[in-house]
Every structure is written in structure tokens, then in C-alpha cells.
Amino acid sequence: MTIDLSALGWDDGFAEFYGRAFALPGHRPARVSRVDRGVCTALTAAGPVRASVAGGLLARAAHDPRALPCAGDWLVVREWPDGKVTAEAVLPRRTAIVRATAGEDSFGQVLAANIDAVAVVEPVDPSPDIGRIERLLALAWESGARPHLVLTKADLAADPEALALQMPGRESGVTVHAVSARTGLGIDGLRHLVAPGRTLGLLGQSGAGKSSLVNALAGAPVMRTRALRADGRGRHTTTYRALIPMPGGGAVLDTPGVRLVGMFDAAAGLDRAFGDVTLLAQGCRFQDCRHGEEPGCAVRAAVEDGELSARRYASWQKLQKEQKLASVRRVRRENRERRRPARG
């Protein structure tokens, strides 16, 4: 079995970096399709391989979990004389969706790497969760990839196009797609996002229809789907992050349904996701305005005048506080690590 790596996104930039540092006997590039308990399934030009994580990578990950390989990464894999394969290095990521892990130390966890576009996937039934969309769009903007909002199960909406016009993100330039995997509505409008050499990442809750969307884009049942539970909650169909090559080139990176997505170094992403509020804040009297009771606050004035909804203002305030807390925790952790005596 042979695989065209260029169809999966391997290009001159990756090849040049690999050639400068890693083009050694027994080494070859590979793209991670999934990771299971520290073992990577990766796609090489000669076919899939299973690679364990080398000691050097594990040592770096002990200080920063983001160093571990994840789905979408380009690896340098090494085949040993006994047939064992190890992941020796992760090539620099061009984009990455990163969320904060639970706990007081505020580490980052990479959900997907080297994606060209991020689709925030939200079902229209029973109704879109606007706060969740805003949170996920902030992560999508922070990733460095181009965000899109995909409203799934649009065949259940009375007027899907009118609903799309009500969604957040449009004020920041996010394209909103109303689609139905069951009827095919809007699917063709997404195909350019998975053209040869391009990768589309999917981000959303369980039951949002991500796996059905992958199957619709592939034109075949490549991902298992399950019905919603009796209470309407989503079931965890995908329990791992998976890169799925598309027929004709390109790939989709499906992530497990995420219930808790914490902010991690997402200040720039928040500014993009709430571009309308960011613009208003530039008109505040004081540069350090907290947008509460301070005099001359342009944001509060916009809420009072009805220019900015109280719901969107509250959502922005909540995510700003969460981001700042995560930043404080990260700085404290890094300071503790610097003060820790070196072993030796």
C-alpha cells in the first residue's frame, strides 16, 4: 500500500525542514492519524505504521504535554533493525487547537494540529447553544486556522438560512454553513475545505453530527454513528481524535465530543471571536477599563443602548475572566518550575 503524502498536506515547507534536520537512514516522515495510549498510528508513503513515542519526546512532554504527538501532526518516524518503529520528533505545527486541561496548573492539550480550517459543529435541533459556539469560535481563531460555523441537522429547521443569519461569528468574518448529512443540504459548500492537500478539523459536542458529516464528505460510511439518547444528549461515538483521508485527497480531523473546553492562551482568539466587542472597547475612556461600572465605558454604553446584547456581553466577560485566570495559573506554574532545583 502506498500513500500520497502531498494529498494529506505534505509540501515543500515541511519537506525542507525535514531535510535539514531529519533526513537520516531509517527515518521517514509520517502524518499522525490517531494516538492510543502513547502509540501513534501514522501514515507514511509506504503505508500505515504503529509507532511508540521515543524517550526524547516523552521527556519534553513531562514539562509540557503539548510536546506529545497528536492527530494531524507530521512526525519523523524511525524504523529499527528489529522492526520496531518510534516517533522521534514532531515537526513544527503550523496551526493547533489547544484547550486547557483540568486542574490548577493550566497545561495545554492539543486537540488537532496542522489544520487549514476549523469547523465549529453545532446542531440546530433542539436549538443551537450560542455560548458554546462563541467559546469554540474563540479556540478556532486562536488555532491559526480559518474558522467556519457548521449548523448540522438543518433539515429539522423551518428556515435554516434565516437561522444562520442569527448566529455569532458573522460579524468577525466567519462563514456559516447550514447542512444536513441526511439530505445532502449544504454539503457541497464544504468540499473546498477538504481539497487535496487541505485538512478540515471538526470541533463540537457529542451528538452534534460530526461523524455523519465526515461520512457525507467522504461519500461513504467511514465513521460509526449512533442515535441520540432518549434525553436528547449526544452519545460519544468518536472517543479518539482521528485523521480521515478523503477520496481524491484532503483529510478531515474528527475530534471526540467535547463537553468542557477551557481557555488556554486564547486572548487573541477571544478578540477575533468577539470582534464587535473588541472594537467597542477601543472607545472606552480608560485603557484599563474593566467594562463594569467605570465611567466612560463604551461597552456598557452599547449594552444600555441595545447595540450590544446583554447575553453576548455576559458571555464575553465570562470568557475573558476564564482566560485571565488560566494565564495567571500558567505563569505561576512556570515560575515554580524555574525555581525548582535542577536534577543531576
Side-chain angles (χ1 to χ4, degrees), residues 120 130 133-138 141 146-149 164-176 272-276 311-312:
V120 172
I130 303 301
I133 291 173
E134 290 168 336
R135 176 182 290 269
L136 295 182
L137 282 177
W141 277 116
R146 182 71 183 179
H148 293 255
L149 173 57
L165 292 175
Q166 301 171 24
M167 293 297 104
R170 296 176 64 254
E171 65 282 339
S172 301
V174 173
T175 303
V176 183
R272 294 296 298 272
F274 289 86
D276 53 338
R311 186 217 59 79
R312 185 161 172 81

Side-chain angles (χ1 to χ4, degrees), residues 50-328:
R50 295 274 286 171
S52 58
V53 180
L57 271 180
L58 290 174
R60 287 192 289 276
H63 299 283
D64 185 354
R66 290 175 295 175
L68 285 173
C70 78
D73 271 328
W74 284 101
L75 295 180
V76 178
V77 297
R78 180 179 183 181
E79 185 169 355
W80 297 81
D82 61 0
K84 179 182 177 181
V85 179
T86 54
E88 297 291 316
V90 176
L91 297 188
R93 295 164 178 146
R94 293 178 179 172
T95 62
I97 301 175
V98 183
R99 69 171 175 181
T101 57
E104 292 296 319
D105 286 336
S106 189
F107 283 102
Q109 179 189 22
V110 183
L111 297 179
N114 298 313
I115 50 178
D116 300 284
V118 185
V120 172
V121 182
E122 181 71 15
V124 304
D125 185 58
S127 62
D129 187 319
I130 303 301
R132 179 168 56 229
I133 291 173
E134 290 168 336
R135 176 182 290 269
L136 295 182
L137 282 177
L139 262 71
W141 277 116
E142 189 68 30
S143 74
R146 182 71 183 179
H148 293 255
L149 173 57
V150 177
L151 299 176
T152 56
K153 309 179 186 180
D155 55 301
L156 301 178
D159 189 343
E161 294 303 323
L163 183 63
L165 292 175
Q166 301 171 24
M167 293 297 104
R170 296 176 64 254
E171 65 282 339
S172 301
V174 173
T175 303
V176 183
H177 308 262
V179 307
S180 169
R182 187 178 69 84
T183 68
L185 172 70
I187 297 298
D188 285 344
L190 298 176
R191 295 197 185 280
H192 70 285
L193 301 178
V194 288
R198 294 182 60 81
T199 301
L200 172 66
L202 305 183
L203 192 60
Q205 67 162 348
S206 298
K210 298 189 303 298
S211 297
S212 296
L213 183 59
V214 174
N215 291 341
L217 289 169
V222 296
M223 297 292 288
R224 188 166 62 93
T225 61
R226 299 175 65 183
L228 293 177
R229 296 183 340 205
D231 60 4
R233 293 178 178 269
R235 298 176 187 267
H236 282 283
T237 303
T238 305
T239 57
Y240 52 87
R241 293 177 284 281
L243 181 82
I244 304 102
M246 293 286 103
V252 176
L253 205 163
D254 189 19
T255 61
V258 287
R259 291 197 179 108
L260 178 63
V261 184
M263 296 290 105
F264 182 83
D265 282 344
L270 279 172
D271 285 346
R272 294 296 298 272
F274 289 86
D276 53 338
V277 188
T278 302
L279 184 62
L280 285 169
Q282 294 176 6
C284 291
R285 181 184 302 177
F286 303 108
Q287 290 186 349
D288 59 348
C289 182
R290 296 184 179 181
H291 316 294
E293 301 301 324
E294 295 87 350
C297 176
V299 176
R300 286 294 306 172
V303 174
E304 293 167 2
D305 293 343
E307 180 183 353
L308 177 67
S309 74
R311 186 217 59 79
R312 185 161 172 81
Y313 166 74
S315 178
W316 176 67
Q317 285 280 71
K318 177 183 178 181
L319 294 178
Q320 287 282 353
K321 291 177 181 178
E322 185 178 321
Q323 159 61 26
K324 290 175 183 176
L325 178 59
S327 179
V328 168

